[in-house]
């Protein structure tokens, strides 16, 4: 994977990259012209029948060693020559080391750069030919990979498909697919979804590297969910949070160091044993400014007793006054409010940051400028859009990032550090960064602009495999377009908040919504009001992995956007109405007035004689509890074939004489598109029964 990072990045981690031993296939002596990927083994003496035996898992006619060395060379040199249509020599990629000959891909970095440059300069017809060749090679390698991984999973011929050589080759193939899949997507505008399947041995080795680097189990899980190539690189780094020992209580589902009980949390001193005094801003002055709709700024010169032209430690912001705003996470020790203040040592550190940026001593930070008392707290939150958008700079503070030495020529490491920091796991940091006109991250050796990281990744084709991951950071820095609801969910999905009731208040400014319309409500009523204000919702939000509201007309509505999703994504929108979510959806309407499927009532025998013999039938699996179905909603029309598709069960809820059908949101189900079996989200399915259905697109309201 040496080609997937810069020279500087490679120097830092090369000793940790799992080696790929070269097995010694005679690649160079073949005198034939460049062959297609399919023909590479054929012109080297292999027969179609021998290849079919390998792909199908039959006992090969050649010995296992011959199979292993051929597969490695074919999947590396054969694939690359098929894509680039140029001869590659082993001397450029195989190097003798004390551990034996190793395959290294450093030179591939510039080969890919030249390929992308040539592709973009080619005429349209030539680009079309190159694009088809790229997709063809990718798809063939992908099919071989999936076939051989299946043999490994089923323990077929373990001497061949579960050997160290096999696992090394499969990791090499996965890195190639992770490189050229995104490349094909960018160059041809034909989406290729990333492959994430790996052998159990390779996955275990990757997890072991993460643990050796001191990574929190919760962060490891988040990294693994993003992309294989991103996870491979991150596993070579030490954890962003330098305090490894504090994560001993963390699990893959929760980082206990960042989840705070707000009621019991308080600011910490910078060093253990420090007993400096607590300093506070005058509460009455802060309250007075907030109640008048103003923004209270804190003068650190006055707070710390330094000479100042101002007599008051609190200044109301007016147009033209320059100040710094801070974006941080409470778990780093700055959890406080106006009433409690901060330790002197923490304030002195904030003062040092002000001097580094050279923008005076006026600051805005929640620990000083937001009181605990709810009325003025909401007043302060209503001003935060102005606070962060009008600040001379927004300073991003994170303990892990402050321990990291940034290097300009290592943007990939910078991306990993940003996305795995505690700062990137929290809700409020999204609006704080997106609203900022000049965001600066404090690192060990100075300040870094997040936008600069994004530019470096965008401008080098070497980093194309990471662009989907970099989108998270680049969208926070890009202000040319307003955030959509889809953008907002993508940014919020992996984040958390110590005060879940604040979520709608935090994201309202991102969508141009007036916070004052939300602060009048509490709990689920506030979330329902948020959806009313949004007005239009992507249909795939019905499939978000979130609890639903228990508010009339909003049983379809997610309680939070800080969640993952099931299934795909579509830009098709639906309209929020007082009765429910109205739109045109694809559904299976079951041909019964009311169907109750339950594992406790196996004697249900629906009468199908009343339907025509040509009716379509769907199988429905029972579950451990009763589930009512009148229809099943899908994001798009299912097509028969191997795989699964998520759906939502619906129950008829007829309201008056409305010509539009009304349904109540039920629960998540899945459809096996090969057997046409619908079942619950869990695997505890019991009896399976068949029911006629009608498939159609129709306008409806989901309450």
């Amino acid at each position: 994977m040496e080609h997937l990072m810069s020279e500087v990045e490679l120097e830092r981690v090369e000793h940790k990259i799992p080696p790929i031993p070269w097995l010694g296939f005679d690649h160079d002596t073949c005198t034939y012209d460049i062959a297609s990927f399919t023909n590479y083994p054929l012109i080297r003496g292999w027969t179609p029948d021998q290849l079919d035996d390998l792909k199908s898992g039959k006992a090969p006619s050649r010995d296992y060693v011959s199979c292993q060395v051929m597969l490695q060379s074919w999947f590396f040199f054969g694939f690359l020559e098929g894509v680039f249509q140029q001869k590659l020599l082993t001397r450029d990629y195989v190097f003798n080391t004390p551990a034996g000959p190793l395959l290294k891909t450093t030179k591939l970095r510039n080969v890919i750069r030249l390929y992308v440059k040539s592709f973009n300069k080619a005429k349209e017809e030539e680009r079309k030919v190159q694009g088809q060749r790229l997709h063809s090679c990718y798809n063939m390698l992908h099919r071989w990979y999936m076939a051989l991984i299946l043999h490994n999973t089923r323990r077929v011929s373990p001497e061949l498909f579960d050997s160290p050589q096999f696992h090394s080759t499969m990791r090499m193939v996965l890195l190639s697919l992770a490189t050229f899949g995104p490349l094909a997507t960018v160059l041809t505008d034909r989406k290729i979804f990333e492959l994430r399947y790996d052998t159990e041995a390779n996955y275990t080795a990757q997890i072991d590297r993460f643990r050796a680097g001191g990574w929190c189990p919760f962060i490891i899980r988040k990294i693994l969910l993003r992309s294989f190539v991103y996870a491979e690189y991150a596993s070579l780094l030490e954890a962003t949070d330098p305090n490894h020992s504090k994560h001993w209580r963390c699990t893959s589902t929760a980082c206990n160091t960042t989840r705070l009980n707000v009621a019991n949390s308080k600011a910490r001193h910078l060093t253990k044993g420090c007993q400096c005094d607590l300093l506070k801003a005058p509460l009455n002055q802060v309250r007075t400014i907030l109640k008048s709709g103003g923004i209270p700024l804190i003068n650190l010169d006055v707070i710390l007793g330094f000479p100042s032209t101002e007599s008051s430690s609190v200044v109301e912001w007016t147009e033209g006054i320059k100040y710094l705003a801070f974006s941080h996470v409470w778990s780093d020790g700055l959890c406080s409010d106006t009433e409690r203040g901060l330790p002197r040592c923490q304030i002195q550190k904030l003062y040092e940051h002000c001097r580094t940026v050279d923008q005076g001593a006026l600051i805005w930070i929640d620990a000083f400028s937001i009181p605990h008392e709810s009325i003025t707290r909401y007043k302060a939150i209503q001003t935060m859009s102005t606070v962060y958008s009008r600040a001379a700079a927004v300073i991003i503070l994170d303990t892990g990032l402050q321990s990291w030495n940034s290097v300009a020529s290592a943007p990939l490491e910078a991306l990993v550090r940003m996305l795995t920091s505690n700062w990137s796991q929290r809700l409020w940091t999204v609006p704080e960064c997106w609203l900022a006109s000049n965001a600066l991250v404090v690192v060990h050796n100075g300040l870094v602009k997040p936008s600069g990281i994004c530019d470096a990744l965008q401008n080098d084709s070497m980093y194309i495999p990471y662009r989907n991951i970099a989108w998270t950071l680049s969208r926070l820095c890009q202000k040319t377009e307003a955030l959509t609801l889809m953008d907002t969910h993508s940014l919020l999905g992996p984040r958390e908040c110590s005060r879940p009731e604040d979520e709608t208040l935090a994201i309202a400014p991102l969508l141009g919504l007036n916070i004052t319309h939300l602060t009048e409500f509490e709990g689920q009523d506030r979330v329902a009001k948020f959806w009313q204000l949004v007005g239009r919702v992507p249909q795939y939000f019905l499939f978000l992995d979130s609890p639903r509201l228990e508010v009339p007309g909003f049983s379809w509505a997610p309680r939070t956007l800080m969640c993952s999703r099931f299934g795909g994504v579509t830009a098709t929108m639906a309209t929020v109405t007082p009765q429910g979510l109205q739109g045109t959806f694809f559904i299976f309407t079951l041909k019964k007035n009311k169907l109750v499927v339950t594992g406790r009532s196996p004697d249900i025998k629906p009468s199908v004689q009343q339907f025509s013999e040509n009716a379509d039938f769907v199988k429905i699996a029972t579950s451990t509890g009763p589930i009512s179905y009148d229809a099943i909603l899908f994001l798009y029309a299912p097509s028969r074939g191997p795989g699964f598709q998520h759906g939502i069960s619906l129950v008829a809820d007829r309201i008056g004489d409305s010509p539009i059908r009304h349904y109540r949101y039920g629960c998540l189900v899945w459809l096996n598109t090969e057997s046409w079996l619908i079942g619950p989200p869990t695997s505890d399915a019991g009896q399976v029964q068949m029911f006629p259905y009608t498939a159609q697109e129709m306008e409806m309201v989901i309450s």
Side-chain angles (χ1 to χ4, degrees):
M1 67 174 300
E2 293 83 0
H3 65 287
L4 290 166
M5 60 193 84
S6 69
E7 279 299 324
V8 172
E9 289 159 342
L10 181 58
E11 287 175 10
R12 292 189 174 196
V13 300
E14 188 170 17
H15 63 288
K16 294 184 179 180
I17 297 177
I20 299 178
W22 175 244
L23 303 181
F25 187 75
D26 186 8
H27 164 75
D28 292 330
T29 58
C30 181
T31 58
Y32 294 91
D33 293 334
I34 297 298
S36 67
F37 175 72
T38 304
N39 290 335
Y40 181 91
L42 301 179
I43 63 176
R44 288 168 169 81
W46 286 69
T47 68
D49 288 342
Q50 290 172 333
L51 296 178
D52 287 342
D53 288 345
L54 274 176
K55 196 170 187 180
S56 62
K58 295 179 182 178
S61 58
R62 298 203 183 199
D63 63 90
Y64 290 150
V65 173
S66 297
C67 295
Q68 288 167 345
V69 298
M70 187 281 294
L71 287 174
Q72 184 191 56
S73 186
W74 182 23
F75 291 163
F76 185 75
F77 287 109
F79 173 73
L80 293 178
E81 289 185 353
V83 171
F84 298 139
Q85 288 296 287
Q86 67 182 59
K87 186 72 175 177
L88 301 180
L89 300 176
T90 55
R91 69 187 183 198
D92 293 325
Y93 297 92
V94 178
F95 299 88
N96 291 319
T97 72
L102 298 180
L103 187 66
K104 297 190 177 186
T105 62
T106 308
K107 189 165 184 176
L108 192 57
R109 185 191 303 141
N110 285 329
V111 175
I112 290 175
R113 284 171 174 155
L114 291 173
Y115 175 77
V116 172
K117 188 175 181 179
S118 172
F119 188 99
N120 291 330
K121 284 185 174 182
K123 294 181 179 180
E124 184 176 352
E125 191 61 34
E126 178 61 22
R127 285 202 303 270
K128 184 177 180 180
V129 172
Q130 290 185 33
Q132 289 173 342
R133 185 187 302 125
L134 175 57
H135 277 272
S136 175
C137 291
Y138 178 92
N139 290 333
M140 285 188 285
L141 184 61
H142 174 269
R143 285 194 290 269
W144 267 95
Y145 179 83
M146 293 303 296
L148 300 187
I149 283 289
L150 187 61
H151 302 334
N152 170 260
T153 304
R154 294 176 175 175
R155 300 293 186 261
V156 175
S157 300
E159 299 89 345
L160 174 59
F161 298 119
D162 198 21
S163 64
Q165 295 83 357
F166 174 81
H167 294 298
S168 175
T169 296
M170 289 299 97
R171 178 175 172 273
M172 176 199 75
V173 173
L174 196 49
L175 286 167
S176 292
L177 293 172
T179 299
F180 288 90
L183 200 66
T185 298
V186 169
L187 295 179
T188 66
D189 290 329
R190 290 167 55 192
K191 178 70 174 177
I192 288 181
F193 292 98
E194 185 189 355
L195 186 68
R196 298 190 183 189
Y197 302 102
D198 202 355
T199 66
E200 184 177 344
N202 285 340
Y203 175 79
T204 301
Q206 188 183 70
I207 294 297
D208 289 343
R209 291 196 297 274
F210 275 118
R211 289 173 176 164
W215 290 89
C216 167
F218 184 59
I219 299 298
I220 295 175
R221 175 176 170 270
K222 287 191 173 185
I223 293 173
L224 294 174
L225 289 173
R226 287 186 179 270
S227 105
F228 168 77
V229 66
Y230 171 76
E232 272 292 280
Y233 175 73
S235 71
L236 307 175
L237 301 173
E238 293 292 315
T240 301
D241 188 339
N243 192 352
H244 303 170
S245 60
K246 72 180 183 182
H247 293 283
W248 69 273
R249 293 185 300 112
C250 299
T251 67
S252 62
T253 57
C255 175
N256 293 310
T257 65
T258 58
R259 289 187 174 182
L260 299 181
N261 182 333
V262 179
N264 298 330
S265 298
K266 60 181 181 179
R268 297 195 306 269
H269 294 269
L270 282 176
T271 57
K272 190 174 182 179
C274 177
Q275 296 181 355
C276 65
D277 53 330
L278 286 173
L279 301 178
K280 307 175 184 178
L283 178 60
N284 287 337
Q285 292 184 42
V286 172
R287 281 177 173 170
T288 299
I289 293 173
L290 288 172
K291 286 179 179 179
S292 67
I295 297 172
L297 303 177
I298 309 303
N299 189 322
L300 293 187
D301 280 334
V302 177
I303 287 281
L304 291 169
F306 297 154
S308 173
T309 57
E310 300 288 339
S311 59
S312 175
S313 59
V314 180
V315 177
E316 182 173 3
W317 175 77
T318 58
E319 196 71 45
I321 293 182
K322 291 186 177 182
Y323 64 95
L324 299 179
F326 286 89
S327 177
H328 64 97
V329 292
W330 286 351
S331 60
D332 279 351
L334 292 170
C335 177
S336 192
D337 46 49
T338 312
E339 289 89 338
R340 293 180 292 173
L342 289 171
R344 179 182 292 273
C345 58
Q346 290 278 18
I347 301 172
Q348 288 173 334
K349 191 67 177 177
L350 296 177
Y351 187 77
E352 290 176 17
H353 297 319
C354 291
R355 297 193 64 178
T356 301
V357 181
D358 193 23
Q359 288 292 341
L362 288 179
I363 70 164
W364 188 99
I365 188 169
D366 54 359
F368 276 142
S369 301
I370 300 184
H372 176 74
E373 182 256 324
S374 60
I375 295 177
T376 47
R377 180 174 182 272
Y378 285 150
K379 288 283 188 182
I381 290 175
Q382 290 170 19
T383 67
M384 287 180 65
S385 177
T386 303
V387 167
Y388 284 94
S389 62
R390 304 305 294 271
V394 172
I395 308 300
I396 295 172
L397 301 179
D398 179 273
T399 301
L401 294 175
Q402 290 180 69
S403 66
W404 163 60
N405 278 309
S406 171
V407 178
S409 53
L412 177 56
E413 182 178 359
L415 176 68
V416 174
R417 296 304 181 196
M418 285 294 298
L419 296 186
T420 58
S421 66
N422 289 335
W423 180 87
S424 286
Q425 316 310 317
R426 311 308 295 170
L427 165 68
W428 276 104
T429 57
V430 172
E432 291 167 0
C433 184
W434 190 79
L435 291 166
S437 60
N438 181 27
L440 299 170
V441 182
V442 178
V443 298
H444 186 69
N445 56 338
L447 298 168
V448 171
K449 292 179 73 72
S451 57
I453 299 171
C454 301
D455 291 342
L457 293 169
Q458 184 65 33
N459 294 334
D460 194 331
S461 56
M462 171 180 66
Y463 294 119
I464 286 177
Y466 303 101
R467 285 186 185 172
N468 279 346
I469 308 302
W471 178 93
T472 302
L473 186 60
S474 63
R475 195 64 184 93
L476 280 177
C477 301
Q478 179 188 359
K479 310 300 188 300
T480 55
E481 298 178 8
L483 287 178
T484 66
L485 202 55
M486 296 171 69
D487 292 337
T488 304
H489 170 249
S490 297
L491 292 173
L492 262 59
R495 295 176 183 256
E496 296 183 311
C497 183
S498 299
R499 283 181 162 146
E501 67 274 11
D502 281 357
E503 179 180 347
T504 56
L505 305 181
I507 64 179
L510 305 178
L511 301 170
L513 304 179
N514 192 331
I515 292 180
T516 58
H517 295 153
L518 297 172
T519 54
E520 302 170 5
F521 300 88
E522 297 287 344
Q524 293 191 35
D525 289 333
R526 178 185 291 170
V527 183
K529 182 62 178 179
F530 168 80
W531 291 117
Q532 280 185 327
L533 294 174
V534 167
R536 299 271 289 168
V537 177
Q539 288 189 5
Y540 79 85
F541 274 33
L542 292 171
F543 294 84
L544 295 187
D545 185 19
S546 164
R548 304 288 148 171
L549 294 180
E550 298 174 1
V551 177
F554 290 90
S555 66
W556 60 268
R559 293 189 192 183
T560 178
L561 293 181
M562 292 185 289
C563 62
S564 58
R565 57 174 167 78
F566 294 103
V569 173
T570 175
T572 307
M573 306 294 282
T575 303
V576 180
T577 73
Q579 290 76 37
L581 189 67
Q582 182 172 339
T584 300
F585 303 92
F586 187 90
I587 67 168
F588 283 2
T589 305
L590 301 175
K591 296 180 179 179
K592 280 184 71 71
N593 289 333
K594 181 71 65 178
L595 166 64
V596 178
V597 181
T598 169
R600 299 192 182 95
S601 303
D603 57 335
I604 294 179
K605 295 180 180 179
S607 174
V608 299
Q609 289 82 359
Q610 57 185 304
F611 303 110
S612 69
E613 294 182 358
N614 297 324
D616 290 322
F617 287 85
V618 65
K619 303 172 188 176
I620 296 184
T622 64
S623 69
T624 54
I627 300 177
S628 295
Y629 295 102
D630 282 301
I632 310 295
L633 179 148
F634 297 100
L635 195 58
Y636 43 84
S639 57
R640 289 185 181 269
F644 291 88
Q645 187 168 328
H646 288 92
I648 302 294
S649 69
L650 302 175
V651 180
D653 186 19
R654 296 170 181 82
I655 298 179
D657 298 325
S658 172
I660 300 177
R661 290 194 189 181
H662 287 68
Y663 289 94
R664 290 198 309 275
Y665 187 98
C667 66
L668 182 76
V669 296
W670 47 253
L671 169 70
N672 183 321
T673 52
E674 186 169 34
S675 64
W676 228 234
L677 170 68
I678 291 177
T682 56
S683 59
D684 57 347
Q687 184 179 359
V688 175
Q689 302 173 51
M690 296 182 65
F691 296 96
Y693 73 93
T694 300
Q696 59 186 319
E697 259 193 336
M698 62 179 293
E699 186 176 8
M700 67 178 75
V701 174
I702 304 171
S703 63

